[in-house]
Amino acid sequence: MAILTLIQKREYLANHGTRCPFCKSKEIEADQGEWGEGYASQPVRCLNPDCEETWNDVYTLTDVDTDDENDAAVKEPLCKVIDKRPRTK
């Protein structure tokens, strides 16, 4: 497995993981992922015969939602900020 540069990682993420980060081929294939607490990892490989590199896509939990349109989270802010700093004149 080759080492990805920061630029390659940024381009891969900007393309939403649709192209090989090494050769830019759209011919990539993902295998069954592994799940943990708040994250998932999925092995991916390039099917371009001139490349055939492998890497892992890493996912993190970023939000929670329900199928209910009246979900309270839509109507209420995620948290209330309270300013406890002393007031000065």
Side-chain angles (χ1 to χ4, degrees):
M1 187 181 314
I3 296 174
L4 283 167
T5 66
L6 185 57
I7 292 171
Q8 287 172 312
K9 286 182 180 186
R10 286 181 179 166
E11 287 176 352
Y12 182 72
L13 295 173
N15 288 317
H16 306 285
T18 60
R19 295 178 176 266
C20 171
F22 299 98
C23 73
K24 310 295 186 262
S25 171
K26 288 185 176 183
E27 300 299 317
I28 60 175
E29 181 177 74
D31 290 330
Q32 182 80 20
E34 295 181 22
W35 296 87
E37 292 185 17
Y39 79 95
S41 177
Q42 184 176 36
V44 186
R45 67 179 163 273
C46 181
L47 301 176
N48 175 356
D50 294 329
C51 180
E52 297 183 338
E53 286 292 345
T54 61
W55 62 94
N56 292 305
D57 282 354
V58 178
Y59 302 91
T60 57
L61 182 63
T62 59
D63 198 2
V64 61
D65 195 3
T66 67
D67 292 335
D68 186 0
E69 287 185 25
N70 296 318
D71 192 339
V74 174
K75 297 178 181 178
E76 298 176 15
L78 293 176
C79 64
K80 183 177 181 180
V81 177
I82 299 173
D83 186 359
K84 293 187 176 184
R85 294 177 290 179
R87 301 196 184 258
T88 58
K89 290 185 179 184

